[in-house]
Amino acid sequence: MGDAMGDGMGDAVRRVVIIGGGSAGWLVAAVLAVDHAAATAEGLQITLLEAPGIPPIGVGEGTWPSMRDTLRKIGLAEADLVRDCDAAFKQGSRFDGWVSGAAGDHYSHPFALPQGYTEADLVGTWLARHADQPFAEVVSFQPRLCAHGLAPKQVTTPEYAAVANYGYHFDAGKFGLLLRRHCTEQLGVRHVCDEMIGVQSHANGDIASLQTRAHGALAADLFIDCTGLPSLLLGQHYGVPLVSQRQVLFNDRALALQVPYPQPDSPIASQTLATAQGNGWIWDIGLPTRRGVGHVYSSAHCSDDAAEQALRRHIRASGGPDDLPAARQLRFEPGYRAEFWHRNCVAIGLSSGFIEPLEASALALIELSVHALSAQMPATRAAMDIVARQFNEAFSYRWERVIDFLKLHYALSQRRDTDYWRDHTAAASMPERLRELLTLWRHRPPSHYDLACIEEVFPSASYQYILYGMGFRPEAGSRRREDPALAERCFQEAAALAARMRPALPGNRALITHIQRHGLPKI
Amino acid sequence: MTNTVLLNNVDHHDLRLRTQRSAAWGDGVMLAHAVPAEFRELQAHYPIVFQKSADGTTFHPVALLGFQDGQNLFLDADGWDAGYLPLAIEREPFLIGRDGGELLVHVDLDSPRLSRSDGEPLFLPHGGTTDTLERINSVLLALHEGLQATPAFVAALLAHDLLESFVLDVEQPDGSQQRLAGFYTIAEERLAALDGAALAQLHRAGHLQAVFMAVASLSNLAALIERQNRRLAGGA
């Protein structure tokens, strides 16, 4: 199909087609629709093309607290999320067996910042006076709430408001369905359920339209590829290559199982449990109706059979049944695309890259991508190449930081029990920038100076939780001195908060049951 | 703490009610539950605010009498310093109980407000009711009807998004800050932005006057702060 304008430059961007109906596609549709008034005649026209009967990928069921802002922004009731998506509250992660692999080896990465994070020398004072206790438990009240399976808020706390910072665990398939209903019924998004059978291009190489089986050609000014791992537009149509990160993060397969609770009212864990294995790690996520458990591992180090045996051992040891069906397998090449926005096509979600689901980075990157896209939505085709360049620079940076941050979980391990851990701790597998940061952190804690972006994927406090949780100890001899009394007051405040919150907060399950019955107050 | 029984003129023929207002008789409270039907009287003296129910599912109006637990700034040595007593205060220590379909007066026999020696008698020598008990009956009835009407009133406020959270920071004479939090007030900006149809709906349902009475009542916050300042200055 030709273009009367020749190269199409200067045309206003008025129509967007999103291809792919998973949580990425519908989240993109919702945010764009709200920000760009899709429900009005003057607004952006948004169409989502979804192939019928494509099963959603069952990983990435954890979110960061940023999801609360995203959902509030698109006007979804939090009670609907809890009721319709099998959602539970997540206050962070616990890492078992990552430091030494010995019994009792664990540390926490809570979502709440350390008490008085920017006000006092917490790290220096902790090292000098409390280094015998875990860092996260000295500086934050939250690990104590998680240890008791408590909810992050009370029944009277308004929707999306927190007593203790939180994100979610949910069923990503159901999340996509809830967003779909919200987008089509409330936000003016057009939904086309059909299969794409071809791509038509303008002479300049821009995509002109997507050819469908029954709905003809869907023309648009901007196309958003949310097709998941197949990356139909960016990867397959444009051939933008994947930059493999296998040399840094080896995990390339996952086996996932749904595990029923022993009782309908069994407690729901308040945090993601990540248990290190000989050749990978196992995620364990508590939803209201079941646990989602999976083993992500390196096929270069471990056979599928051995991985499945390790998964079943973990499930048995954690009180799950023996007679579960076969695990579902996912294979992926760890890495991200060389660029994410090419010509008039942006990839968001797994189509732009996928890395093991440690630290719930997948949904966090989707949120960052759609907010960046929405804020920078080019008004014309002429503006699009400039926006695309900015977007590509920003997200290459973010992917690199995700890789660095995930590698930090492995790089400091004392485990040498398998080739997997020996390879993970070998200098050759370390990204250059992480190596530099670790050099700096020998003398001072991670800070915002190390993370120069306005919207970093992970805050500097998270680097501190992982670094000191993994047993990293800086060298003595910093001349910088701050008043330890100030830090001690922060530690006391954290302990006092934990003591005050414990009797006042319901259990995670009790709050979810209450919300399912009564909803949440809006104010 | 409470010992609630059905009031009757046999067991309770010599029961008397202490009608003076005093912390000793249980009046030292920072708030009184309020019903929309008395907002007109309340707003002449007290700020009317809203409190979330313990299960988070609804709200109820209260008249503010102080800024912290146990502080009632309307109580002094001479009694209650305001021309109108909230129904929920005046009804003490009586309450309405249901026996089958019938509403019957009950009494908390553990209340310090009751006596067999001093105060106003409840029953006449031959078992009839005194004016004091008649008055209690009418207060209880008004309160009961008001409580029946409150859920619809609050539902209308929520439906029009007319409640908002409110925090009051009171600077004490010594410069320290006291914070009143956990209460809600009418969202005046959203009230002002309601269209004619929404206003007509509130009016027809009989809620509109109470909404504006609650708005007007907030001018009593300054007077309540002044009461506290006078008390702190006087060392009382």
Side-chain angles (χ1 to χ4, degrees):
Chain A
M1 218 166 89
D3 182 351
M5 300 282 290
D7 60 5
M9 294 288 180
D11 296 350
V13 173
R14 299 212 53 238
R15 299 162 303 169
V16 172
V17 164
I18 300 160
I19 173 167
S23 43
W26 286 112
L27 206 55
V28 170
V31 172
L32 292 185
V34 166
D35 285 352
H36 298 273
T40 66
E42 311 78 49
L44 202 61
Q45 294 173 32
I46 301 173
T47 304
L48 189 142
L49 171 62
E50 177 178 25
I54 294 213
I57 286 197
V59 295
E61 293 182 338
T63 83
W64 274 71
S66 55
M67 186 58 81
R68 284 161 37 214
D69 291 331
T70 299
L71 296 180
R72 181 170 23 209
K73 175 194 180 88
I74 65 173
L76 207 68
E78 190 174 31
D80 287 346
L81 181 81
V82 171
R83 286 173 179 144
D84 294 356
C85 304
D86 208 8
F89 302 108
K90 165 179 177 173
Q91 298 183 55
S93 298
R94 199 180 97 173
F95 295 93
D96 284 12
W98 292 70
V99 181
S100 66
D105 160 16
H106 76 269
Y107 70 95
S108 298
H109 172 198
F111 282 148
L113 291 181
Q115 238 25 62
Y117 183 54
T118 56
E119 293 151 32
D121 178 21
L122 303 178
V123 171
T125 310
W126 165 69
L127 281 167
R129 300 175 170 207
H130 305 282
D132 55 323
Q133 296 167 60
F135 175 71
E137 288 170 35
V138 173
V139 301
S140 169
F141 62 86
Q142 202 159 30
R144 275 163 276 196
L145 305 186
C146 292
H148 291 91
L150 297 181
K153 61 201 282 181
Q154 298 174 302
V155 296
T156 51
T157 314
E159 65 169 356
Y160 296 123
V163 172
N165 200 12
Y166 70 90
Y168 307 101
H169 287 138
F170 55 53
D171 180 322
K174 291 180 176 172
F175 182 55
L177 293 178
L178 174 66
L179 290 173
R180 175 165 89 190
R181 199 171 75 222
H182 187 62
C183 280
T184 54
E185 291 176 5
Q186 310 288 329
L187 302 180
V189 175
R190 179 182 168 220
H191 180 207
V192 176
C193 202
D194 202 342
E195 202 178 327
M196 183 185 82
I197 52 172
V199 176
Q200 281 104 7
S201 300
H202 290 297
N204 67 355
D206 279 8
I207 297 172
S209 61
L210 306 182
Q211 190 63 38
T212 63
R213 212 173 274 289
H215 293 79
L218 299 179
D221 309 304
L222 178 66
F223 293 85
I224 303 172
D225 181 350
C226 299
T227 58
L229 292 178
S231 193
L232 293 180
L233 299 184
L234 190 79
Q236 294 191 26
H237 174 70
Y238 279 127
V240 172
L242 191 82
V243 182
S244 176
Q245 297 297 315
R246 187 184 283 278
Q247 73 285 3
V248 180
L249 294 166
F250 323 135
N251 293 339
D252 61 350
R253 289 188 189 177
L255 286 165
L257 273 169
Q258 302 187 352
V259 180
Y261 286 109
Q263 306 294 331
D265 60 350
S266 294
I268 303 169
S270 307
Q271 56 194 345
T272 301
L273 187 61
T275 308
Q277 304 292 308
N279 299 293
W281 59 275
I282 288 174
W283 74 78
D284 194 332
I285 280 177
L287 303 185
T289 58
R290 60 171 169 95
R291 286 156 59 204
V293 184
H295 188 182
V296 55
Y297 57 98
S298 159
S299 64
H301 295 88
C302 172
S303 71
D304 294 340
D305 280 350
E308 178 141 5
Q309 281 166 22
L311 179 61
R312 288 180 188 275
R313 268 198 307 277
H314 171 91
I315 290 168
R316 261 197 308 280
S318 59
D322 273 327
D323 54 345
L324 292 170
R328 202 158 50 86
Q329 196 190 48
L330 174 75
R331 297 179 178 208
F332 57 94
E333 179 66 28
Y336 52 89
R337 300 278 156 189
E339 55 182 357
F340 313 101
W341 193 325
H342 183 77
R343 300 215 63 88
N344 64 339
C345 171
V346 195
I348 294 180
L350 305 189
S351 54
S352 67
F354 185 63
I355 212 85
E356 58 190 87
L358 193 61
E359 297 286 8
S361 60
L363 279 164
L365 276 170
I366 291 170
E367 291 180 79
L368 284 170
S369 302
V370 65
H371 294 311
L373 169 64
S374 182
Q376 302 178 82
M377 178 59 74
T380 64
R381 179 62 187 85
M384 197 179 287
D385 289 341
I386 307 166
V387 172
R389 197 169 61 237
Q390 291 182 347
F391 188 94
N392 285 329
E393 282 169 12
F395 281 90
S396 292
Y397 173 88
R398 288 185 179 135
W399 270 103
E400 287 167 15
R401 297 296 76 75
V402 169
I403 305 294
D404 285 350
F405 183 62
L406 299 199
K407 182 66 177 182
L408 185 63
H409 293 66
Y410 296 97
L412 300 166
S413 179
Q414 295 147 27
R415 290 184 67 148
R416 300 291 184 272
D417 49 317
T418 56
D419 281 346
Y420 178 85
W421 287 100
R422 285 188 284 273
D423 292 347
H424 249 317
T425 49
S429 75
M430 194 87 76
E432 181 55 34
R433 191 180 144 115
L434 179 60
R435 203 198 324 255
E436 286 179 6
L437 288 172
L438 285 169
T439 304
L440 295 181
W441 296 339
R442 285 215 293 269
H443 305 283
R444 63 156 176 83
S447 79
H448 62 277
Y449 292 108
D450 305 319
L451 304 159
C453 247
I454 303 292
E455 290 181 315
E456 286 286 345
V457 186
F458 305 108
S460 59
S462 289
Y463 287 80
Q464 293 194 357
Y465 283 130
I466 304 308
L467 195 66
Y468 304 121
M470 285 301 299
F472 182 90
R473 294 293 178 269
E475 291 164 18
S478 164
R479 278 182 300 274
R480 189 180 167 92
R481 281 286 170 266
E482 290 182 60
D483 184 6
L486 199 57
E488 290 289 357
R489 275 204 296 280
C490 296
F491 300 159
Q492 282 155 16
E493 195 180 307
L497 277 173
R500 264 214 314 278
M501 288 178 184
R502 265 191 61 190
L505 289 172
N508 215 11
R509 160 107 37 215
L511 178 60
I512 288 158
T513 304
H514 177 91
I515 293 171
Q516 285 167 344
R517 288 188 190 139
H518 304 289
L520 272 171
K522 298 275 179 195
I523 55 172
Chain B
M1 274 300 284
T2 57
N3 174 20
T4 303
V5 299
L6 183 66
L7 183 70
N8 66 79
N9 60 7
V10 179
D11 298 328
H12 308 130
H13 66 96
D14 57 349
L15 209 57
R16 288 164 176 264
L17 180 68
R18 292 168 165 146
T19 54
Q20 318 89 302
R21 293 291 140 189
S22 158
W25 309 146
D27 290 324
V29 291
M30 79 172 279
L31 46 85
H33 283 250
V35 295
E38 62 173 337
F39 278 14
R40 177 203 285 265
E41 286 76 21
L42 287 173
Q43 64 82 34
H45 308 278
Y46 314 98
I48 302 167
V49 295
F50 294 80
Q51 212 179 18
K52 200 180 278 183
S53 65
D55 68 358
T57 58
T58 187
F59 293 81
H60 48 253
V62 295
L64 268 189
L65 309 176
F67 293 108
Q68 58 199 38
D69 263 354
Q71 181 191 54
N72 183 343
L73 295 167
F74 290 89
L75 273 187
D76 58 28
D78 302 325
W80 193 286
D81 180 29
Y84 176 79
L85 208 53
L87 294 172
I89 297 287
E90 194 177 1
R91 65 109 186 153
E92 289 287 352
F94 300 93
L95 53 166
I96 279 188
R98 218 178 253 283
D99 187 7
E102 209 178 348
L103 298 176
L104 296 169
V105 177
H106 289 60
V107 61
D108 173 14
L109 290 177
D110 284 355
S111 167
R113 193 171 282 291
L114 297 175
S115 161
R116 304 263 177 189
S117 54
D118 60 296
E120 306 296 325
L122 298 175
F123 294 102
L124 297 168
H126 299 291
T129 53
T130 61
D131 288 349
T132 302
L133 186 53
E134 286 299 338
R135 168 74 194 157
I136 290 293
N137 281 339
S138 66
V139 165
L140 284 175
L141 196 62
L143 193 59
H144 177 75
E145 285 169 355
L147 289 172
Q148 302 293 107
T150 301
F153 175 68
V154 170
L157 295 181
L158 292 174
H160 290 97
D161 202 14
L162 286 179
L163 286 182
E164 65 186 4
S165 164
F166 127 102
V167 172
L168 182 70
D169 283 315
V170 182
E171 189 176 330
Q172 314 253 36
D174 67 358
S176 66
Q177 288 282 334
Q178 175 185 39
R179 168 160 286 199
L180 182 75
F183 292 102
Y184 300 77
T185 55
I186 301 290
E188 289 187 51
E189 275 184 31
R190 293 201 286 272
L191 176 62
L194 286 185
D195 62 18
L199 287 170
Q201 198 186 355
L202 284 170
H203 177 58
R204 269 199 308 278
H207 302 318
L208 198 57
Q209 187 190 67
V211 170
F212 282 100
M213 292 295 165
V215 170
S217 78
L218 294 186
S219 46
N220 294 315
L221 277 172
L224 196 61
I225 293 171
E226 188 48 36
R227 276 177 187 269
Q228 176 170 256
N229 288 345
R230 278 204 304 272
R231 191 156 296 198
L232 291 169

